[in-house]
Amino acid sequence: MAQHLEGLRILAKLEELDAYSHQVALQFPKYERHVLSAEIRSTLNRVLHLTVQAAKRYHKKTTLQDLDIEVEFLRALVRKARRLGYITPNRYEVWSRHIDEIGRMVGGWIRSVSGDSR
């Protein structure tokens, strides 16, 4: 039951991240809205999909590992947007905090499923 609730908490945070990401992506240059912005949105959708899958599955470990990989990929895309100058340092910091929070939640979920008590 607790693992199902963890999925619900992450889903709420993902909705916040999605709303923020949508606002930030609108600030990207027009020529990037269909490239990097679309890739970020697609990755967010995969993260959401994997979160729902993990919450519903009995054996969660591989799904959670896939989710962890997607969160890390999302981090890389946001770093790329910053490096290319599409977002300000402040937006990058806020966006990264949202992603880091989700990453910590996924890490905790993985540890709880693995039985690791770190």
Short mmCIF file of all heavy atoms in Angstrom, two decimals, residues 22-68:
data_model
loop_
_atom_site.label_atom_id
_atom_site.label_comp_id
_atom_site.label_asym_id
_atom_site.label_seq_id
_atom_site.Cartn_x
_atom_site.Cartn_y
_atom_site.Cartn_z
N HIS A 22 5.87 23.35 -19.18
CA HIS A 22 5.07 23.94 -20.26
C HIS A 22 5.31 25.45 -20.34
O HIS A 22 5.51 26.00 -21.42
CB HIS A 22 3.59 23.63 -20.05
CG HIS A 22 2.72 24.14 -21.13
ND1 HIS A 22 2.70 23.58 -22.40
CD2 HIS A 22 1.86 25.19 -21.17
CE1 HIS A 22 1.86 24.26 -23.16
NE2 HIS A 22 1.33 25.24 -22.44
N GLN A 23 5.32 26.11 -19.18
CA GLN A 23 5.57 27.56 -19.14
C GLN A 23 6.95 27.89 -19.69
O GLN A 23 7.11 28.81 -20.48
CB GLN A 23 5.49 28.08 -17.71
CG GLN A 23 4.12 28.15 -17.13
CD GLN A 23 4.18 28.61 -15.67
OE1 GLN A 23 5.22 28.60 -15.03
NE2 GLN A 23 3.04 29.03 -15.16
N VAL A 24 7.95 27.14 -19.26
CA VAL A 24 9.32 27.41 -19.67
C VAL A 24 9.50 27.13 -21.16
O VAL A 24 10.14 27.91 -21.87
CB VAL A 24 10.33 26.59 -18.84
CG1 VAL A 24 11.74 26.76 -19.36
CG2 VAL A 24 10.25 27.00 -17.38
N ALA A 25 8.92 26.04 -21.64
CA ALA A 25 9.09 25.67 -23.05
C ALA A 25 8.50 26.72 -24.00
O ALA A 25 8.98 26.89 -25.12
CB ALA A 25 8.46 24.31 -23.31
N LEU A 26 7.51 27.44 -23.53
CA LEU A 26 6.94 28.50 -24.35
C LEU A 26 7.94 29.64 -24.59
O LEU A 26 7.79 30.42 -25.53
CB LEU A 26 5.67 29.06 -23.71
CG LEU A 26 4.46 28.13 -23.71
CD1 LEU A 26 3.32 28.77 -22.93
CD2 LEU A 26 4.04 27.80 -25.13
N GLN A 27 8.96 29.72 -23.74
CA GLN A 27 9.98 30.76 -23.88
C GLN A 27 11.13 30.35 -24.81
O GLN A 27 11.98 31.16 -25.12
CB GLN A 27 10.55 31.11 -22.49
CG GLN A 27 9.51 31.53 -21.48
CD GLN A 27 8.70 32.72 -21.93
OE1 GLN A 27 9.23 33.70 -22.41
NE2 GLN A 27 7.38 32.61 -21.80
N PHE A 28 11.14 29.09 -25.23
CA PHE A 28 12.18 28.64 -26.15
C PHE A 28 12.03 29.38 -27.47
O PHE A 28 10.92 29.78 -27.85
CB PHE A 28 12.04 27.14 -26.42
CG PHE A 28 12.61 26.24 -25.36
CD1 PHE A 28 12.64 26.61 -24.03
CD2 PHE A 28 13.12 25.00 -25.69
CE1 PHE A 28 13.16 25.78 -23.05
CE2 PHE A 28 13.63 24.16 -24.74
CZ PHE A 28 13.66 24.55 -23.42
N PRO A 29 13.12 29.53 -28.22
CA PRO A 29 13.00 30.12 -29.56
C PRO A 29 12.05 29.29 -30.42
O PRO A 29 11.96 28.07 -30.24
CB PRO A 29 14.42 30.05 -30.11
CG PRO A 29 15.31 29.85 -28.94
CD PRO A 29 14.49 29.17 -27.89
N LYS A 30 11.38 29.94 -31.32
CA LYS A 30 10.36 29.27 -32.13
C LYS A 30 10.92 28.03 -32.85
O LYS A 30 10.27 27.00 -32.92
CB LYS A 30 9.77 30.25 -33.14
CG LYS A 30 8.55 29.74 -33.83
CD LYS A 30 7.90 30.80 -34.67
CE LYS A 30 6.59 30.30 -35.21
NZ LYS A 30 5.86 31.33 -35.91
N TYR A 31 12.14 28.15 -33.37
CA TYR A 31 12.72 27.04 -34.12
C TYR A 31 13.06 25.84 -33.23
O TYR A 31 13.25 24.74 -33.72
CB TYR A 31 13.96 27.48 -34.91
CG TYR A 31 15.05 28.08 -34.07
CD1 TYR A 31 16.02 27.28 -33.47
CD2 TYR A 31 15.12 29.45 -33.87
CE1 TYR A 31 17.02 27.83 -32.69
CE2 TYR A 31 16.13 30.01 -33.10
CZ TYR A 31 17.07 29.20 -32.51
OH TYR A 31 18.07 29.75 -31.75
N GLU A 32 13.13 26.03 -31.92
CA GLU A 32 13.42 24.93 -31.00
C GLU A 32 12.17 24.33 -30.37
O GLU A 32 12.26 23.31 -29.70
CB GLU A 32 14.37 25.38 -29.89
CG GLU A 32 15.83 25.33 -30.25
CD GLU A 32 16.35 23.94 -30.58
OE1 GLU A 32 15.78 22.92 -30.16
OE2 GLU A 32 17.36 23.86 -31.29
N ARG A 33 11.04 24.96 -30.54
CA ARG A 33 9.83 24.44 -29.90
C ARG A 33 9.43 23.07 -30.43
O ARG A 33 8.76 22.32 -29.75
CB ARG A 33 8.68 25.43 -30.08
CG ARG A 33 8.84 26.62 -29.19
CD ARG A 33 7.62 27.48 -29.14
NE ARG A 33 8.02 28.78 -28.62
CZ ARG A 33 7.56 29.92 -29.06
NH1 ARG A 33 6.67 29.95 -30.01
NH2 ARG A 33 7.99 31.05 -28.55
N HIS A 34 9.85 22.78 -31.65
CA HIS A 34 9.48 21.49 -32.24
C HIS A 34 10.63 20.50 -32.21
O HIS A 34 10.53 19.42 -32.77
CB HIS A 34 8.98 21.68 -33.66
CG HIS A 34 7.78 22.56 -33.73
ND1 HIS A 34 6.56 22.19 -33.21
CD2 HIS A 34 7.62 23.83 -34.18
CE1 HIS A 34 5.70 23.18 -33.37
NE2 HIS A 34 6.31 24.18 -33.95
N VAL A 35 11.72 20.87 -31.54
CA VAL A 35 12.86 19.98 -31.45
C VAL A 35 13.14 19.68 -29.97
O VAL A 35 12.64 18.70 -29.43
CB VAL A 35 14.10 20.59 -32.15
CG1 VAL A 35 15.26 19.61 -32.13
CG2 VAL A 35 13.78 20.98 -33.59
N LEU A 36 13.92 20.52 -29.32
CA LEU A 36 14.29 20.28 -27.92
C LEU A 36 13.07 20.34 -27.00
O LEU A 36 12.89 19.50 -26.13
CB LEU A 36 15.36 21.28 -27.46
CG LEU A 36 15.92 21.07 -26.05
CD1 LEU A 36 16.49 19.66 -25.89
CD2 LEU A 36 16.96 22.12 -25.75
N SER A 37 12.22 21.31 -27.21
CA SER A 37 11.00 21.43 -26.39
C SER A 37 10.13 20.19 -26.54
O SER A 37 9.60 19.67 -25.55
CB SER A 37 10.23 22.69 -26.81
OG SER A 37 9.04 22.78 -26.10
N ALA A 38 9.99 19.71 -27.76
CA ALA A 38 9.18 18.51 -27.99
C ALA A 38 9.82 17.29 -27.34
O ALA A 38 9.11 16.43 -26.79
CB ALA A 38 9.01 18.28 -29.49
N GLU A 39 11.14 17.22 -27.36
CA GLU A 39 11.83 16.09 -26.73
C GLU A 39 11.64 16.12 -25.22
O GLU A 39 11.44 15.09 -24.59
CB GLU A 39 13.32 16.12 -27.08
CG GLU A 39 14.10 14.94 -26.54
CD GLU A 39 13.70 13.61 -27.16
OE1 GLU A 39 13.25 13.57 -28.32
OE2 GLU A 39 13.82 12.58 -26.46
N ILE A 40 11.67 17.31 -24.63
CA ILE A 40 11.45 17.45 -23.19
C ILE A 40 10.02 17.01 -22.85
O ILE A 40 9.80 16.26 -21.90
CB ILE A 40 11.74 18.88 -22.73
CG1 ILE A 40 13.25 19.14 -22.77
CG2 ILE A 40 11.19 19.13 -21.33
CD1 ILE A 40 13.66 20.59 -22.57
N ARG A 41 9.05 17.47 -23.63
CA ARG A 41 7.65 17.07 -23.38
C ARG A 41 7.47 15.57 -23.53
O ARG A 41 6.78 14.93 -22.74
CB ARG A 41 6.71 17.82 -24.32
CG ARG A 41 6.47 19.26 -23.92
CD ARG A 41 5.31 19.89 -24.68
NE ARG A 41 5.30 19.61 -26.11
CZ ARG A 41 5.90 20.37 -27.04
NH1 ARG A 41 6.56 21.44 -26.70
NH2 ARG A 41 5.84 20.03 -28.31
N SER A 42 8.09 15.00 -24.53
CA SER A 42 8.01 13.55 -24.77
C SER A 42 8.62 12.77 -23.60
O SER A 42 8.06 11.78 -23.14
CB SER A 42 8.72 13.22 -26.07
OG SER A 42 8.77 11.84 -26.28
N THR A 43 9.76 13.24 -23.12
CA THR A 43 10.42 12.58 -21.99
C THR A 43 9.56 12.68 -20.73
O THR A 43 9.42 11.72 -19.98
CB THR A 43 11.82 13.18 -21.75
OG1 THR A 43 12.58 13.02 -22.96
CG2 THR A 43 12.53 12.48 -20.61
N LEU A 44 8.96 13.85 -20.52
CA LEU A 44 8.05 14.01 -19.37
C LEU A 44 6.88 13.04 -19.47
O LEU A 44 6.47 12.45 -18.46
CB LEU A 44 7.52 15.43 -19.32
CG LEU A 44 8.27 16.38 -18.41
CD1 LEU A 44 7.84 17.82 -18.66
CD2 LEU A 44 8.08 16.01 -16.98
N ASN A 45 6.35 12.86 -20.67
CA ASN A 45 5.25 11.90 -20.86
C ASN A 45 5.70 10.48 -20.56
O ASN A 45 4.96 9.70 -19.97
CB ASN A 45 4.67 12.02 -22.26
CG ASN A 45 3.81 13.24 -22.43
OD1 ASN A 45 3.22 13.74 -21.47
ND2 ASN A 45 3.73 13.74 -23.65
N ARG A 46 6.94 10.13 -20.96
CA ARG A 46 7.46 8.79 -20.66
C ARG A 46 7.64 8.62 -19.16
O ARG A 46 7.35 7.55 -18.61
CB ARG A 46 8.77 8.54 -21.40
CG ARG A 46 8.57 8.19 -22.87
CD ARG A 46 9.82 7.62 -23.51
NE ARG A 46 10.98 8.48 -23.42
CZ ARG A 46 11.30 9.44 -24.28
NH1 ARG A 46 10.53 9.68 -25.32
NH2 ARG A 46 12.40 10.16 -24.12
N VAL A 47 8.12 9.66 -18.48
CA VAL A 47 8.28 9.60 -17.02
C VAL A 47 6.92 9.37 -16.37
O VAL A 47 6.78 8.52 -15.47
CB VAL A 47 8.96 10.88 -16.48
CG1 VAL A 47 8.86 10.97 -14.97
CG2 VAL A 47 10.42 10.94 -16.92
N LEU A 48 5.92 10.10 -16.81
CA LEU A 48 4.57 9.93 -16.27
C LEU A 48 4.05 8.52 -16.53
O LEU A 48 3.51 7.86 -15.63
CB LEU A 48 3.63 10.97 -16.90
CG LEU A 48 2.17 10.92 -16.47
CD1 LEU A 48 2.04 11.16 -14.97
CD2 LEU A 48 1.36 11.94 -17.23
N HIS A 49 4.24 8.03 -17.74
CA HIS A 49 3.78 6.68 -18.10
C HIS A 49 4.47 5.63 -17.24
O HIS A 49 3.82 4.71 -16.71
CB HIS A 49 4.06 6.44 -19.59
CG HIS A 49 3.56 5.12 -20.07
ND1 HIS A 49 4.39 4.04 -20.23
CD2 HIS A 49 2.32 4.71 -20.41
CE1 HIS A 49 3.68 3.01 -20.67
NE2 HIS A 49 2.42 3.38 -20.77
N LEU A 50 5.78 5.73 -17.07
CA LEU A 50 6.51 4.76 -16.26
C LEU A 50 6.12 4.83 -14.79
O LEU A 50 6.10 3.81 -14.10
CB LEU A 50 8.02 4.97 -16.42
CG LEU A 50 8.59 4.52 -17.77
CD1 LEU A 50 10.01 5.06 -17.95
CD2 LEU A 50 8.56 3.01 -17.90
N THR A 51 5.78 6.03 -14.31
CA THR A 51 5.34 6.17 -12.92
C THR A 51 4.03 5.43 -12.71
O THR A 51 3.86 4.70 -11.72
CB THR A 51 5.19 7.66 -12.56
OG1 THR A 51 6.44 8.31 -12.74
CG2 THR A 51 4.75 7.82 -11.11
N VAL A 52 3.11 5.60 -13.63
CA VAL A 52 1.82 4.89 -13.53
C VAL A 52 2.05 3.39 -13.63
O VAL A 52 1.47 2.62 -12.86
CB VAL A 52 0.84 5.39 -14.63
CG1 VAL A 52 -0.40 4.52 -14.68
CG2 VAL A 52 0.47 6.84 -14.39
N GLN A 53 2.91 2.97 -14.56
CA GLN A 53 3.21 1.55 -14.70
C GLN A 53 3.78 0.98 -13.39
O GLN A 53 3.35 -0.08 -12.94
CB GLN A 53 4.26 1.33 -15.80
CG GLN A 53 3.71 0.91 -17.10
CD GLN A 53 4.83 0.52 -18.05
OE1 GLN A 53 5.95 1.02 -17.98
NE2 GLN A 53 4.51 -0.37 -18.96
N ALA A 54 4.74 1.68 -12.81
CA ALA A 54 5.37 1.19 -11.58
C ALA A 54 4.36 1.12 -10.44
O ALA A 54 4.40 0.18 -9.64
CB ALA A 54 6.54 2.09 -11.20
N ALA A 55 3.46 2.08 -10.38
CA ALA A 55 2.46 2.07 -9.31
C ALA A 55 1.51 0.89 -9.45
O ALA A 55 1.04 0.35 -8.46
CB ALA A 55 1.68 3.38 -9.32
N LYS A 56 1.25 0.48 -10.67
CA LYS A 56 0.29 -0.60 -10.92
C LYS A 56 0.90 -2.00 -10.91
O LYS A 56 0.20 -2.97 -10.70
CB LYS A 56 -0.39 -0.38 -12.28
CG LYS A 56 -1.24 0.87 -12.36
CD LYS A 56 -2.49 0.68 -11.58
CE LYS A 56 -3.44 1.84 -11.78
NZ LYS A 56 -4.68 1.63 -11.08
N ARG A 57 2.20 -2.10 -11.17
CA ARG A 57 2.83 -3.41 -11.29
C ARG A 57 3.15 -4.03 -9.95
O ARG A 57 3.48 -3.33 -8.99
CB ARG A 57 4.13 -3.29 -12.08
CG ARG A 57 3.87 -3.09 -13.54
CD ARG A 57 5.02 -3.59 -14.34
NE ARG A 57 4.59 -3.66 -15.74
CZ ARG A 57 5.38 -3.43 -16.74
NH1 ARG A 57 6.64 -3.12 -16.54
NH2 ARG A 57 4.92 -3.51 -17.97
N TYR A 58 3.09 -5.34 -9.92
CA TYR A 58 3.47 -6.07 -8.72
C TYR A 58 5.00 -6.09 -8.60
O TYR A 58 5.56 -5.80 -7.57
CB TYR A 58 2.92 -7.50 -8.77
CG TYR A 58 3.29 -8.30 -7.55
CD1 TYR A 58 2.66 -8.08 -6.33
CD2 TYR A 58 4.28 -9.28 -7.62
CE1 TYR A 58 3.00 -8.81 -5.20
CE2 TYR A 58 4.63 -10.00 -6.50
CZ TYR A 58 3.99 -9.77 -5.29
OH TYR A 58 4.35 -10.48 -4.17
N HIS A 59 5.68 -6.46 -9.71
CA HIS A 59 7.15 -6.44 -9.76
C HIS A 59 7.55 -5.11 -10.37
O HIS A 59 7.38 -4.88 -11.56
CB HIS A 59 7.68 -7.61 -10.59
CG HIS A 59 7.34 -8.94 -9.99
ND1 HIS A 59 7.95 -9.42 -8.85
CD2 HIS A 59 6.44 -9.87 -10.36
CE1 HIS A 59 7.45 -10.61 -8.54
NE2 HIS A 59 6.52 -10.90 -9.44
N LYS A 60 8.11 -4.24 -9.55
CA LYS A 60 8.33 -2.85 -9.94
C LYS A 60 9.77 -2.53 -10.31
O LYS A 60 10.03 -1.51 -10.93
CB LYS A 60 7.93 -1.93 -8.78
CG LYS A 60 6.50 -2.08 -8.34
CD LYS A 60 6.25 -1.26 -7.11
CE LYS A 60 4.87 -1.42 -6.55
NZ LYS A 60 3.77 -1.25 -7.45
N LYS A 61 10.71 -3.36 -9.94
CA LYS A 61 12.12 -2.99 -9.98
C LYS A 61 12.59 -2.51 -11.35
O LYS A 61 13.19 -1.44 -11.47
CB LYS A 61 12.99 -4.14 -9.50
CG LYS A 61 14.41 -3.74 -9.24
CD LYS A 61 15.18 -4.86 -8.56
CE LYS A 61 16.59 -4.39 -8.28
NZ LYS A 61 17.36 -5.42 -7.62
N THR A 62 12.34 -3.27 -12.41
CA THR A 62 12.84 -2.86 -13.73
C THR A 62 12.12 -1.61 -14.24
O THR A 62 12.74 -0.75 -14.86
CB THR A 62 12.71 -4.00 -14.77
OG1 THR A 62 11.36 -4.44 -14.82
CG2 THR A 62 13.63 -5.15 -14.44
N THR A 63 10.84 -1.50 -13.94
CA THR A 63 10.10 -0.30 -14.34
C THR A 63 10.66 0.92 -13.62
O THR A 63 10.83 1.99 -14.23
CB THR A 63 8.60 -0.46 -14.06
OG1 THR A 63 8.13 -1.65 -14.69
CG2 THR A 63 7.81 0.72 -14.59
N LEU A 64 10.96 0.78 -12.35
CA LEU A 64 11.53 1.89 -11.59
C LEU A 64 12.93 2.25 -12.09
O LEU A 64 13.30 3.43 -12.12
CB LEU A 64 11.57 1.57 -10.09
CG LEU A 64 10.21 1.58 -9.40
CD1 LEU A 64 10.33 1.06 -7.98
CD2 LEU A 64 9.61 2.98 -9.42
N GLN A 65 13.70 1.26 -12.50
CA GLN A 65 15.02 1.55 -13.07
C GLN A 65 14.87 2.31 -14.38
O GLN A 65 15.62 3.26 -14.64
CB GLN A 65 15.80 0.26 -13.28
CG GLN A 65 16.27 -0.36 -11.99
CD GLN A 65 16.82 -1.76 -12.16
OE1 GLN A 65 16.49 -2.47 -13.11
NE2 GLN A 65 17.66 -2.18 -11.22
N ASP A 66 13.90 1.92 -15.21
CA ASP A 66 13.63 2.64 -16.45
C ASP A 66 13.18 4.08 -16.15
O ASP A 66 13.57 5.02 -16.84
CB ASP A 66 12.55 1.94 -17.28
CG ASP A 66 13.02 0.61 -17.85
OD1 ASP A 66 14.25 0.36 -17.90
OD2 ASP A 66 12.14 -0.19 -18.25
N LEU A 67 12.36 4.23 -15.12
CA LEU A 67 11.90 5.55 -14.70
C LEU A 67 13.09 6.41 -14.27
O LEU A 67 13.19 7.58 -14.65
CB LEU A 67 10.89 5.41 -13.56
CG LEU A 67 10.37 6.69 -12.90
CD1 LEU A 67 9.71 7.61 -13.92
CD2 LEU A 67 9.39 6.33 -11.79
N ASP A 68 14.00 5.84 -13.51
CA ASP A 68 15.19 6.55 -13.05
C ASP A 68 16.03 7.02 -14.24
O ASP A 68 16.54 8.15 -14.26
CB ASP A 68 16.00 5.64 -12.13
CG ASP A 68 17.06 6.38 -11.35
OD1 ASP A 68 16.82 7.53 -10.93
OD2 ASP A 68 18.15 5.78 -11.13
#
